[in-house]
Amino acid sequence: MTSIKEQAAISRLLSFLQEWDNAGKVARSHILDKFIETNQGKTAPELEQEFSQGASLFLIRLTTWLRITYMTGCCLEKLLKSIGIFLSAVSSNRYLREFLEVGGVLTLLEILGLEKITEEAKKESVKLLQVIANSGRKYKELICESYGVRSTAEFLAKSQSEETQEEVQVLLDSLVHGNPKYQNQVYKGLIALLPCTSPKAQQLSLQTLRTAQPIIGTTHPSIVDCVLKVLGTMHLEVQYEAIELIKDLVGYDVRQALLKGLVALLIPSVKETSKLQAKILNDPSILQLTPSLPMFLHLAWRCPRLRAPGAGVLVRNDISIAEELLYLRVVHGLMAAMGNTDHSNSQRLMFPMVAEHVRRCMGEELYQLFLSNAADLYMKIDSVQADILAANKVNVTRALRHLDSCYSMNTFCGSRDSAHTACVTHFQNDDVESKE
């Protein structure tokens, strides 16, 4: 037989449950407020003691009301917080199983796609998904099997709240760790987010990709184009994350494609830049800007990552990258950037390599002007000199190949310097012949 104290506790529980069952929306909202206030942070044993070993009876009522009303948004934020108290409690495996058995994951994911639901309620839904994902590998797999990656990625791209987007990033980061069965699915979802129109979503996706890439080990073919296109944004925080990811990716099998893509982007065509022009720029009532401005803005951001003074970001610790860039004609692209009169920042970022070749292309007067004060060159050149730079045909690749042959032929004769001298003489002779 039960003691008088136990009977009193059971009576209080039944009275509480009856009050919930008979309450309307307003009364239930008050009950939830009180429950959240008094039970936040309690462990599962403490919750059982509070409900006389019948906490599951209240949890099932919460989940039932959630499934009935989640589309309307009625008290949804409070309801999700209350369920979260159960799921996040220490030793809450029993509550977690009960919530999942009634389709809790699918309900939470559906909430993310509903337009009428508030951002705060959706954020609470994401937090519950985090709790579930952090409970173990099988729960991460359950979320992924319920199309969780697609739902959360789409929500990240559409969300208007940066705090909520950051919560989604935490969830995606959790799903990529300790989830070998579906980690590639998460990885592809992150790549698919890069073309979205939300700068915050792009930034968070790039950050998470940097974490995910070492876990995945291999690269997806589409990542190169997606990351290079992200460089076109005018949001510096996104550009920064893209550059950081590129620095990581050059250590994988997409290195050559990345470097080739970066060099190709140094000389945007008018056709490409006109596509990037905002609609407001076509308004005749405002100042008209040149169509190449958007592309040159991010060109100015990319150039310092490629330049050699101070050993630029990509080549600072790996001289082989600088050599590869030279073979890909990066000097040609950077000299064209110097001739850009539309945006002075790109003019100030020069890659002064293979000096003799650059001198021959610039001409003596312009080259001496560059040597005297490279930082202010963009302010001193005239339109003719700018055209010379923009239309340059410099091809350092041919010079490098001949230099290699000069080194091999002159190894037995002397030092590396003699080989370099022979190579320079060869191109000087070529120059004389071309003038004749």
Side-chain angles (χ1 to χ4, degrees):
M1 296 180 62
T2 58
S3 65
I4 296 176
K5 186 182 292 187
E6 290 174 339
Q7 288 178 352
I10 293 172
S11 177
R12 287 196 300 271
L13 173 62
L14 294 176
S15 175
F16 172 79
L17 296 177
Q18 187 176 10
E19 179 187 1
W20 173 268
D21 293 339
N22 296 330
K25 295 179 181 179
V26 176
R28 286 188 174 184
S29 178
H30 292 318
I31 293 173
L32 292 176
D33 285 333
K34 185 177 180 180
F35 174 78
I36 294 169
E37 181 182 352
T38 57
N39 295 282
Q40 190 74 47
K42 284 188 175 180
T43 64
E46 290 173 335
L47 289 172
E48 289 297 329
Q49 184 179 4
E50 176 72 20
F51 286 91
S52 305
Q53 309 305 314
S56 292
L57 296 176
F58 185 50
L59 175 60
I60 195 63
R61 282 167 167 76
L62 294 178
T63 55
T64 300
W65 197 36
L66 173 66
R67 289 175 60 79
I68 293 173
T69 63
Y70 76 91
M71 289 189 178
T72 65
C74 177
C75 301
L76 186 55
E77 184 181 348
K78 297 177 182 179
L79 189 54
L80 292 171
K81 284 184 177 180
S82 299
I83 295 174
I85 290 175
F86 283 98
L87 300 190
S88 60
V90 178
S91 305
S92 62
N93 289 337
R94 172 186 170 187
Y95 303 143
L96 181 59
R97 288 196 304 270
E98 292 172 354
F99 180 70
L100 297 179
E101 285 172 358
V102 296
V105 168
L106 288 173
T107 303
L108 295 176
L109 292 173
E110 286 182 35
I111 289 172
L112 301 182
L114 297 176
E115 295 183 359
K116 296 182 179 180
I117 306 302
T118 64
E119 285 285 329
E120 285 299 317
K122 291 181 179 180
K123 182 168 73 172
E124 291 300 324
S125 180
V126 172
K127 287 182 177 180
L128 285 182
L129 288 168
Q130 291 174 9
V131 172
I132 295 170
N134 292 334
S135 298
R137 173 177 168 178
K138 64 179 181 180
Y139 299 108
K140 294 178 182 180
E141 292 179 353
L142 175 61
I143 293 174
C144 294
E145 289 167 357
S146 304
Y147 301 99
V149 175
R150 185 178 68 181
S151 299
T152 53
E154 290 177 354
F155 175 57
L156 175 58
K158 297 177 181 178
S159 176
Q160 301 299 313
S161 167
E162 291 193 357
E163 289 185 5
T164 305
Q165 288 177 311
E166 289 171 357
E167 294 293 343
V168 177
Q169 182 200 23
V170 173
L171 174 59
L172 290 171
D173 185 74
S174 176
L175 292 177
V176 85
H177 285 85
N179 187 17
K181 187 175 181 180
Y182 292 105
Q183 62 188 18
N184 274 297
Q185 185 183 104
V186 182
Y187 177 65
K188 293 175 183 178
L190 291 168
I191 295 175
L193 274 169
L194 296 183
C196 76
T197 57
S198 168
K200 186 64 175 181
Q202 290 178 319
Q203 180 188 11
L204 296 175
S205 299
L206 289 165
Q207 289 176 351
T208 312
L209 275 170
R210 290 190 63 201
T211 303
Q213 190 59 65
I215 297 173
I216 303 301
T218 58
T219 56
H220 191 272
S222 65
I223 195 170
V224 174
D225 287 339
C226 290
V227 173
L228 291 177
K229 287 177 181 178
V230 169
L231 288 173
T233 181
M234 296 184 190
H235 296 272
L236 298 183
E237 69 279 7
V238 180
Q239 293 176 340
Y240 171 80
E241 295 298 340
I243 291 297
E244 292 300 306
L245 179 58
I246 288 174
K247 286 164 59 180
D248 294 340
L249 290 176
V250 292
Y252 293 85
D253 57 349
V254 294
R255 169 173 170 152
Q256 186 70 12
L258 271 174
L259 297 181
K260 187 179 294 186
L262 284 171
V263 173
L265 287 173
L266 287 172
I267 311 179
S269 65
V270 175
K271 181 179 180 181
E272 290 173 336
T273 55
S274 61
K275 292 179 182 178
L276 296 175
Q277 190 173 15
K279 292 181 179 180
I280 192 173
L281 299 182
N282 295 321
D283 189 341
S285 65
I286 65 170
L287 175 66
Q288 291 299 303
L289 301 177
T290 58
S292 59
L293 175 62
M295 180 64 79
F296 279 124
L297 280 172
H298 80 269
L299 169 61
W301 174 260
R302 280 200 302 274
C303 286
R305 271 76 191 160
L306 296 173
R307 60 176 177 169
V313 173
L314 284 179
V315 301
R316 181 175 291 121
N317 298 317
D318 191 349
I319 193 64
S320 64
I321 293 181
E323 294 175 353
E324 289 182 52
L325 288 171
L326 287 174
Y327 276 105
L328 294 172
R329 299 193 66 194
V330 70
V331 175
H332 164 68
L334 288 170
M335 288 183 67
M338 285 181 65
N340 165 29
T341 58
D342 293 319
H343 197 65
S344 60
N345 280 344
S346 66
Q347 289 178 298
R348 286 176 282 182
L349 306 174
M350 174 59 179
F351 200 144
M353 301 177 107
V354 194
E356 181 64 24
H357 216 65
V358 174
R359 183 192 65 78
R360 292 173 60 242
C361 178
M362 283 185 171
E364 192 62 35
E365 180 182 353
L366 182 56
Y367 183 66
Q368 292 301 325
L369 187 63
F370 165 71
L371 289 181
S372 63
N373 194 346
D376 295 333
L377 179 65
Y378 73 101
M379 296 188 296
K380 297 179 179 179
I381 61 175
D382 55 32
S383 59
V384 175
Q385 292 170 327
D387 289 339
I388 291 173
L389 292 169
N392 82 89
K393 301 298 182 182
V394 65
N395 188 347
V396 181
T397 303
R398 189 167 69 93
L400 290 173
R401 288 172 180 166
H402 186 82
L403 186 61
D404 289 339
S405 65
C406 288
Y407 288 152
S408 61
M409 288 187 296
N410 288 274
T411 300
F412 67 95
C413 295
S415 66
R416 189 178 179 90
D417 292 336
S418 63
H420 182 269
T421 302
C423 185
V424 170
T425 303
H426 169 81
F427 283 106
Q428 289 175 337
N429 293 337
D430 278 357
D431 197 18
V432 172
E433 291 174 3
S434 63
K435 291 178 180 178
E436 291 175 353

